[in-house]
Amino acid sequence: MNLLLRYLGYILIISSVFRVVPIFAAIAYDEPILSFVISAIVSIILGLIFLRLDMNSRRNNSISFSQALILVTLSFVLLSLIGAISFLESFNYNLIDAVFESVSGLTTTGLSVYSTVQGVAKSLLLWRAMLQWIGGLGIVMFFLFLLSLKRQTPTKNIAEIEELSVSETFLYRAQGFSGATRLGVRISSAIKIYLVYTFAGIAMLFLTGMPFYDSVAMTFTSISTGGFTVSDAFYSDNLQLLVLSLLMLAGATSFIAHDRLFRGKIRDFLHHTERNILFAFIGVALLVAFVSSQNVRVVIFEVVSAYTTTGYTIASVASLPKLFILVIMVGMVIGGCTLSTAGGLKAFRSYVVLKGPFWYLRKLSNPVNAVTPFKVRNKPVKEKSLVMIQIFFSAWILLLLLGTFVLVAVGNNLLDASFQMTSALGTVGLSTMDLSVLHWAGKITLIFGMLLGRLELFPLLFFIRKLVKRSI
């Protein structure tokens, strides 16, 4: 427990550094900085308290997988609560609304209880966008970067290095990044890729004529596949929409594929399996969407936004044809690539779920002792992995139904309720209704949905199970 508190302390202190950006923005736009300063101080004080609690314990650097799950969950929950401090005043100190906005930002969902952002401080909107940028890669990933530097310190002995390596591996797995180290993507490489795309996005949007402030905020929310905007009216310039679409696709593409591209392995990048599966899903969705709407601009942008789980929209979703809405909902479930900033089930899992029944029918038709491998692009997938994917899918659908039931129970129609819960679990942010007037129980349901979606269900469920067991 002491090690968990130590790591959590470091994460809280690291998170406080990011407040520098909205503080400078507030100074530049002559806006109050007090809420950002308070949240930074709270984060630092809590961090120091957690570090202090660990001072007298034996210096153990190895964290278990269950502790890693708890650490990742606590990080998102605590950072969301502390981040909510900055939103309190704008919501007349309505705690649920402030927490909702903060969770939506950090989980890169993009659902908002602001009925309008007109009149909201620019520094606060920038902080909201930055929350998504931080959440896209994950604050724990920034901590892992520092942990990896610590592991490489020459003064460390072999035992300490091994303990830190074990902790790194478990923290990767706890965030759904288990394949990164196995496939050769270092955290330093992932951060470098993320920063390169961020600076490139800001530059490209600025060159298209977008104001610098908007360029920064929109790059933060597009590369993180977050979806928050800084104005009520979305951009209409085709070139700007193109750049935003490319950033969304980049964010939804696996860091493994990007790593291959940055290393000059173009062939490996082009043949990356999950990226191609995602693009195939998008291609099919575009064809189906064109059946219901002939507005090329709207179809392409909305489909890319949904299938990358970003949540931007240039049209009223509620007014779209029902078939188009269904296509969008399917995209929110499918999501982007594993090891990306996108949410949803993930393209590879979705492909396995769709192909699974056909494989099983083929297996049943073969002799009992026959080996019938499940293959994706001629590469076998272990049956253990298939079982885990089916369990994840079943849990996802079960939570979707449960959340939909609650939203219907508080007075929403079935279509709106299912759409909003899908949007929350998929961390998408598209909406068919005004969330500012949603019942408080509905808001809390969506808060849990967003956290479950960003944490890929099991870390939060594991944490809740631990709390329940302790209270019994």
Side-chain angles (χ1 to χ4, degrees):
M1 177 59 76
N2 287 327
L3 177 63
L4 191 151
L5 291 176
R6 189 204 315 169
Y7 282 0
L8 186 58
Y10 286 134
I11 289 169
L12 288 171
I13 292 171
I14 292 168
S15 72
S16 67
V17 176
F18 289 102
R19 265 71 171 192
V20 170
V21 174
I23 286 173
F24 276 129
I27 293 171
Y29 291 105
D30 195 25
E31 295 171 346
I33 66 170
L34 185 60
S35 66
F36 303 119
V37 173
I38 291 174
S39 63
I41 290 173
V42 169
S43 191
I44 291 170
I45 290 174
L46 274 178
L48 291 175
I49 290 172
F50 290 149
L51 291 176
R52 180 74 178 177
L53 291 172
D54 181 57
M55 280 186 65
N56 298 322
S57 65
R58 185 179 67 84
R59 284 320 241 189
N60 174 28
N61 290 298
S62 180
I63 191 171
S64 67
F65 183 52
S66 60
Q67 286 178 318
L69 291 173
I70 294 172
L71 176 61
V72 170
T73 303
L74 280 175
S75 298
F76 271 89
V77 172
L78 279 178
L79 291 176
S80 295
L81 291 174
I82 296 170
I85 293 172
S86 299
F87 294 103
L88 280 171
E89 186 178 359
S90 68
F91 288 117
N92 294 318
Y93 298 94
N94 184 316
L95 183 61
I96 292 177
D97 284 357
V99 171
F100 187 104
E101 205 72 16
S102 183
V103 169
S104 184
L106 202 61
T107 58
T108 72
T109 304
L111 290 173
S112 180
V113 284
Y114 282 120
S115 55
T116 175
V117 294
Q118 187 176 356
V120 178
K122 282 180 173 289
S123 54
L124 184 57
L125 292 178
L126 184 61
W127 171 238
R128 195 175 72 142
M130 192 165 195
L131 274 174
Q132 295 200 321
W133 186 82
I134 296 167
L137 191 60
I139 187 65
V140 178
M141 297 298 279
F142 290 101
F143 167 67
L144 275 170
F145 174 63
L146 296 180
L147 193 66
S148 67
L149 293 180
K150 183 179 179 182
R151 180 167 53 83
Q152 295 165 19
T153 303
T155 56
K156 295 293 173 191
N157 59 46
I158 293 174
E160 286 180 303
I161 291 172
E162 288 180 350
E163 288 176 345
L164 289 169
S165 296
V166 169
S167 296
E168 275 188 68
T169 302
F170 284 146
L171 284 169
Y172 271 111
R173 286 176 57 194
Q175 299 171 92
F177 275 71
S178 57
T181 50
R182 178 170 56 82
L183 296 173
V185 180
R186 297 169 299 172
I187 181 59
S188 57
S189 176
I191 290 178
K192 179 182 73 174
I193 291 165
Y194 202 52
L195 289 173
V196 167
Y197 281 125
T198 298
F199 286 118
I202 293 170
M204 288 190 294
L205 288 175
F206 185 68
L207 289 173
T208 62
M210 188 178 288
F212 181 71
Y213 168 83
D214 292 46
S215 299
V216 173
M218 294 304 291
T219 297
F220 282 170
T221 62
S222 56
I223 193 61
S224 65
T225 61
F228 276 148
T229 60
V230 291
S231 64
D232 292 330
F234 203 77
Y235 308 92
S236 58
D237 183 89
N238 288 334
L239 199 54
Q240 292 172 358
L241 295 179
L242 174 62
V243 173
L244 290 172
S245 297
L246 292 174
L247 288 171
M248 288 188 282
L249 290 170
T253 300
S254 171
F255 281 107
I256 295 172
H258 289 307
D259 186 69
R260 301 295 181 265
L261 179 63
F262 275 60
R263 292 173 185 269
K265 298 179 180 179
I266 308 299
R267 184 181 178 86
D268 289 346
F269 173 75
L270 294 175
H271 288 86
H272 186 265
T273 301
E274 191 173 19
R275 185 191 68 91
N276 292 335
I277 290 173
L278 173 61
F279 279 37
F281 277 134
I282 291 175
V284 172
L286 287 171
L287 291 175
V288 176
F290 277 127
V291 173
S292 61
S293 176
Q294 282 69 53
N295 190 325
V296 176
R297 198 155 79 80
V298 170
V299 167
I300 293 175
F301 192 79
E302 297 293 333
V303 166
V304 170
S305 178
Y307 280 73
T308 59
T309 70
T310 307
Y312 291 147
T313 181
I314 56 175
S316 171
V317 176
S319 65
L320 293 174
K322 293 295 185 287
L323 178 61
F324 199 166
I325 293 176
L326 180 61
V327 169
I328 288 173
M329 288 184 69
V330 170
M332 294 193 297
V333 174
I334 290 173
C337 294
T338 311
L339 309 175
S340 73
T341 66
L345 285 173
K346 301 297 188 296
F348 182 79
R349 288 193 189 117
S350 301
Y351 178 77
V352 169
V353 168
L354 291 173
K355 188 177 179 180
F358 300 101
W359 164 76
Y360 192 68
L361 284 173
R362 191 171 74 253
K363 184 175 182 178
L364 289 176
S365 64
N366 289 337
V368 176
N369 296 326
V371 177
T372 311
F374 186 101
K375 292 184 178 181
V376 177
R377 289 194 65 182
N378 296 320
K379 292 181 179 180
V381 179
K382 294 179 181 179
E383 289 197 26
K384 180 182 177 181
S385 299
L386 297 180
V387 171
M388 290 303 299
I389 289 172
Q390 290 295 339
I391 290 172
F392 184 90
F393 174 70
S394 300
W396 207 94
I397 296 300
L398 183 62
L399 289 166
L400 171 61
L401 293 174
L402 183 62
T404 300
F405 174 79
V406 174
L407 291 175
V408 169
V410 296
N412 300 288
N413 65 62
L414 182 61
L415 179 61
D416 285 342
S418 60
F419 190 96
Q420 292 310 141
M421 196 60 197
T422 304
S423 188
L425 272 177
T427 67
V428 183
L430 290 171
S431 183
T432 56
M433 58 185 182
D434 183 2
L435 297 179
S436 65
V437 297
L438 182 65
H439 189 277
W440 63 265
K443 291 176 182 177
I444 291 175
T445 301
L446 292 179
I447 286 172
F448 274 102
M450 292 185 284
L451 286 169
L452 284 163
R454 179 61 181 86
L455 293 170
E456 300 222 313
L457 308 188
F458 293 112
L460 182 57
L461 293 176
F462 177 81
F463 179 70
I464 293 172
R465 180 175 178 272
K466 280 281 188 182
L467 288 179
V468 171
K469 284 185 71 175
R470 279 181 174 272
S471 63
I472 293 176

